[in-house]
Amino acid sequence: MKIPLGDFGNVVGEGRRGADTSAIGRAVQGLGDTGQAIAVEMQRERQRLASEEQQERRAMARAQADNAALDYELEVKRREAGAAEDLTTGDLDPDRAVRRFDDEIAQIQEPEIEHLDPIARESLGRARRRIAAAGRMKVEGVATAARRRAYQSQFATALDTLGKQAGLPGADIEAINARAEAYRDLGRQAGLPPDQLGRALQDFKDRNWLNHAQSRSMAARNSLPQLEALAKDLTAADGYYASRLDTDRRNALLRGVQADQDQLRIRIENQALRVEARAERALAAIDRQIASGVPATPQMWAAWQAQVAGSQLTGEFRQRLDDEAEIQRVLRSPVDQQLRLVQEREAKLTRDGGSIAEAANVARLRRAVDASVQKLHEAPLSFAEERLGVENQPIDLSRLLEPGGASQVAALLGERAATIDSLRKQFGGSVPLRPLLPQESQTLASTLESASPAQASQFYAALRHAAGDDTVFRGAMQQIAPDSPIKALAGVLSSKQRALTLERNWIADDVVASSRDVAVTLLQGERLLNRSEGDKTADGKAQPKLFLPETTTLQASFQAEVGRAFAGRPGAAELAFQAVQAYYVGKAAQTGRLASSNSDIDLGLVRESVRATLGTVVTYNGNDEVIAPWGMDAGEFEDRVETAIRIEAKRRNLPWQAETHSRSVGLVNGSRDGEYTVTVGRRLVLDDQGQPVTINVHSNDPGERSGAIARGSR
């Protein structure tokens, strides 16, 4: 493409034409006018801009003034809140609150704001003054409220202090209530309405009088006179509280006082009854102690005296002291004298009469003597410990078969025998020889229960050797008789160390058994009859029913053998039958003699059993049967009886010596081995003193004089 050049190429100048200058002049003139107009316009524009800038500065100044007013208001409110908080916490005195607020507000500087017009500046000043005045009014209100709270607190504190004073013992309620009235002005300053202030003061006074009356009620709770005085002050027209408490309060208090009176009367009555009951219990304890025969210790008397103190039984307590002293004097005398004295006192009381106290004293004496005698006869060693302070060193019977054990047991048994001998000398010869303490006799019975017949026989022999004589040994056997009568009898038999002819034969040798053999047989039979739990569970143990016939059949045979030997003594008969039954079973087991039926009985073995365990049955003079001492045949027995009767008749100067061979003379087994009571025609023979005549076929054999267990014991 070809770009056109136009007329921009080389131009050939033409000759200068003549110019038109008028047009130029006009143009210049027009330009001058235009410049002047522009200058005026520019001046106007500058003035307009300056006015707008001034307005903007004024507007900014007003805005700053508004913000300054808000800032001032915030500062005032902050100081207002600080004053309110300090007034609430009590850190600021209400009287200083406004002054402190004014001082703090005065420290807030007024801001310097440029271009702020006078009108706006005056408006800012008025706003600050208005804000400060509003804050000051609020602080004044809070201060006033705090001042009232302070007055109210002082008013309440004052009344509380007076109320506490009114609660003190001996307080003057009249004076305290008068002082409370002086705080009425303080209540007014606290802003309390007149009716509320009056009610508060009246309630305070009423409460003081109520507390005063209640304090009196509490103090008088344990005093009937004080309660009665308070009841009068509450009810009487001229009573102390008649014009001081309203009717409702007085009635409420009166009900409490009356309840306290009733309760106190009941308590006083109950206390009196308790004192008497305690005294009665003390006297009952004294009576039991006196009746036991054991003297009371001084500590016991002191305790009883304290229990009786204040009661109506102090006189009876003093009488018990005298009674106990008298009874102890009686208990230190021989037993026969004790019993005789009691009988004399009872006879005199029955014959001549007496008071209830005298009858009670005689009854206590009877109980004390009976208890003392019972203790003396049942457990003489315990009696010696309790009444005489004798110390009995325990005997360990389990060591009897150990080396050296028998000698130790022997020494202790000797001491026991000496103690009982001293009791006999002091209290009479009726004190039994019981050388074992109760717990020791129980141990002995338990030992024999678990021992085999051979072991038991060995134990009996060792005990007999340690005892030293038959009387001590048999005394020990008698102690276990109530629990193990057959074992006790076996022990007595084994201690005899004698032989017994069980069967006499004309051609063959007599059948003779030692006392120890009889004891072993007896123990074997007893073990079969009364098997222990171990025996019942052991294999191969023989059953008693294999050897023993029916009990009633054996009893009939036993009765046929002994006849009337146990007439009037059912207890002794029962014990004797048990011994015969045990021997029968033991001997049948030894020989293998089995019972073919319930009625199959070996009469010869029954006879042997009676002879071996009890002794020979003798029909003396053709009268009732008696049992001779063990091992003594009929001939020897009759000879000894004749001699003993003759000696006793001579000693007692009886008129019937010539009748000693009469068929009318009979015998009754006594309570001791070898002892018999003489009868004529089944009537007891009495001496001049009215006492039954008794003989002892062991009179020339003192070693045999001891109590029987199976034949004579009851």
Side-chain angles (χ1 to χ4, degrees), residues 347-358:
K348 183 178 183 301
L349 191 65
T350 302
R351 183 181 62 253
D352 302 335
S355 65
I356 296 177
E358 291 172 339

Side-chain angles (χ1 to χ4, degrees), residues 503-697:
E503 182 180 343
R504 292 188 182 277
N505 298 308
W506 292 101
I507 300 175
D509 293 335
D510 292 341
V511 178
V512 179
S514 68
S515 57
R516 185 173 181 181
D517 293 336
V518 173
V520 171
T521 302
L522 192 61
L523 289 171
Q524 288 177 336
E526 196 275 340
R527 188 161 189 171
L528 285 172
L529 289 170
N530 300 292
R531 294 181 301 154
S532 64
E533 290 299 323
D535 291 338
K536 292 178 181 179
T537 57
D539 294 332
K541 288 294 181 181
Q543 302 295 319
K545 64 182 180 180
L546 298 176
F547 314 103
L548 189 65
E550 190 179 39
T551 301
T552 56
T553 303
L554 184 59
Q555 283 178 332
S557 300
F558 166 77
Q559 185 61 47
E561 285 294 325
V562 299
R564 291 181 54 83
F566 293 99
R569 295 183 298 153
E574 176 62 25
L575 184 56
F577 175 74
Q578 292 178 17
V580 170
Q581 186 182 37
Y583 184 90
Y584 185 100
V585 173
K587 190 60 176 285
Q590 290 175 359
T591 61
R593 199 273 183 199
L594 303 179
S596 60
S597 66
N598 289 340
S599 60
D600 180 17
I601 189 168
D602 187 338
L603 296 179
L605 183 53
V606 174
R607 188 174 298 109
E608 177 184 331
S609 299
V610 172
R611 180 186 291 270
T613 57
L614 308 179
T616 302
V617 178
V618 179
T619 304
Y620 184 74
N621 272 348
N623 293 308
D624 291 337
E625 295 81 2
V626 293
I627 298 177
W630 193 91
M632 187 179 296
D633 60 23
E636 181 185 0
F637 174 71
E638 290 175 353
D639 291 341
R640 284 178 175 258
V641 169
E642 182 179 349
T643 301
I645 288 179
R646 185 168 55 252
I647 293 173
E648 191 67 21
K650 183 177 180 180
R651 189 181 71 82
R652 300 200 189 199
N653 194 26
L654 297 175
W656 46 274
Q657 294 92 329
E659 301 180 6
T660 55
H661 296 286
S662 171
R663 301 290 295 179
S664 61
V665 174
L667 298 174
V668 175
N669 281 93
S671 60
R672 296 175 181 272
D673 184 31
E675 183 179 87
Y676 301 88
T677 302
V678 182
T679 64
V680 174
R682 293 188 177 179
R683 292 197 303 261
L684 298 179
V685 176
L686 306 179
D687 61 11
D688 294 341
Q689 304 298 322
Q691 298 298 319
V693 176
T694 60
I695 63 171
N696 194 309
V697 296

Side-chain angles (χ1 to χ4, degrees), residues 77-87 92 100:
K77 287 185 178 295
R78 186 174 64 80
R79 285 164 174 76
E80 175 190 325
E85 181 178 359
D86 290 344
L87 286 170
L92 179 61
R100 192 188 79 169

Side-chain angles (χ1 to χ4, degrees), residues 43-58:
Q43 180 65 30
R44 290 177 179 173
E45 182 64 22
R46 283 195 297 271
Q47 291 177 351
R48 185 183 64 77
L49 291 175
S51 176
E52 289 180 356
E53 182 179 0
Q54 185 177 9
Q55 290 177 357
E56 289 177 358
R57 285 198 297 269
R58 289 178 179 176

Side-chain angles (χ1 to χ4, degrees), residues 227-245:
L227 288 173
E228 291 172 355
L230 178 57
K232 179 181 178 182
D233 285 340
L234 290 170
T235 57
D238 58 346
Y240 187 73
Y241 299 105
S243 60
R244 293 176 172 87
L245 286 176

Side-chain angles (χ1 to χ4, degrees), residues 159-487:
L159 293 185
D160 181 67
T161 302
L162 290 178
K164 291 177 179 177
Q165 294 178 1
L168 296 176
D172 187 348
I173 305 302
E174 293 281 5
I176 290 174
N177 286 348
R179 291 178 60 187
E181 187 63 32
Y183 291 109
R184 186 179 292 273
D185 291 340
L186 184 61
R188 294 193 186 96
Q189 293 176 353
L192 294 176
D195 57 339
Q196 182 179 350
L197 176 61
R199 186 167 58 254
L201 289 174
Q202 188 59 46
D203 288 345
F204 173 79
K205 296 175 184 179
D206 292 343
R207 187 165 57 253
N208 285 343
W209 286 121
L210 179 62
N211 291 338
H212 183 266
Q214 289 176 339
S215 298
R216 282 185 61 186
S217 174
M218 294 177 62
R221 185 165 296 174
N222 296 319
S223 172
L224 276 178
Q226 293 181 18
L227 288 173
E228 291 172 355
L230 178 57
K232 179 181 178 182
D233 285 340
L234 290 170
T235 57
D238 58 346
Y240 187 73
Y241 299 105
S243 60
R244 293 176 172 87
L245 286 176
D246 58 48
T247 303
D248 291 339
R249 287 191 173 94
R250 283 189 286 114
N251 288 338
L253 280 171
L254 181 61
R255 283 193 294 271
V257 171
Q258 291 173 341
D260 288 342
Q261 285 178 310
D262 294 338
Q263 185 176 9
L264 183 56
R265 290 190 184 99
I266 294 173
R267 186 164 71 247
I268 292 173
E269 182 180 359
N270 181 260
Q271 287 175 348
L273 293 175
R274 288 176 60 189
V275 169
E276 296 303 321
R278 186 166 55 246
E280 290 173 359
R281 288 196 301 272
L283 288 183
I286 294 172
D287 290 343
R288 289 193 298 271
Q289 186 71 30
I290 293 175
S292 72
V294 180
T297 64
Q299 292 80 5
M300 294 169 66
W301 281 112
W304 289 330
Q305 185 177 21
Q307 294 176 16
V308 175
S311 72
Q312 300 179 6
L313 301 177
T314 53
E316 294 192 28
F317 173 78
R318 289 190 293 269
Q319 183 62 46
R320 295 297 196 281
L321 282 171
D322 297 338
D323 295 345
E324 201 263 354
E326 179 188 11
I327 289 175
Q328 288 302 316
R329 286 195 299 270
V330 172
L331 295 180
R332 288 192 289 270
S333 61
V335 171
D336 58 343
Q337 294 183 21
Q338 296 180 33
L339 297 174
R340 185 166 57 252
L341 177 61
V342 173
Q343 292 171 355
E344 291 174 355
R345 293 282 183 88
E346 290 176 339
K348 183 178 183 301
L349 191 65
T350 302
R351 183 181 62 253
D352 302 335
S355 65
I356 296 177
E358 291 172 339
N361 189 31
V362 172
R364 282 192 294 272
L365 178 62
R366 162 60 73 182
R367 291 194 297 272
V369 169
D370 289 346
S372 179
V373 172
Q374 182 180 4
K375 187 74 171 182
L376 185 63
H377 285 82
E378 291 182 354
L381 294 175
S382 299
F383 178 92
E385 286 183 346
E386 294 177 359
R387 312 295 171 85
L388 306 178
V390 176
E391 184 177 355
N392 294 303
Q393 186 175 351
I395 298 177
D396 187 0
L397 294 174
S398 64
R399 299 190 56 201
L400 190 60
L401 300 179
E402 297 178 1
S407 60
Q408 183 180 8
V409 173
L412 294 176
L413 286 176
E415 289 295 327
R416 302 278 182 86
T419 298
I420 294 175
D421 286 342
S422 67
L423 293 177
R424 286 176 169 176
K425 291 179 181 180
Q426 182 176 0
F427 297 101
S430 62
V431 179
L433 182 58
R434 296 179 179 269
L436 301 178
L437 294 171
Q439 63 270 25
E440 294 168 351
S441 64
Q442 292 176 1
T443 300
L444 176 58
S446 299
T447 300
L448 296 174
E449 179 69 27
S450 60
S452 66
Q455 291 172 336
S457 179
Q458 183 183 7
F459 190 87
Y460 286 136
L463 183 58
R464 169 61 185 81
H465 178 72
D469 68 37
D470 288 339
T471 55
V472 176
F473 174 73
R474 293 183 184 183
M477 292 300 99
Q478 285 181 334
Q479 285 186 261
I480 68 169
D483 296 324
S484 306
I486 303 305
K487 292 183 176 66

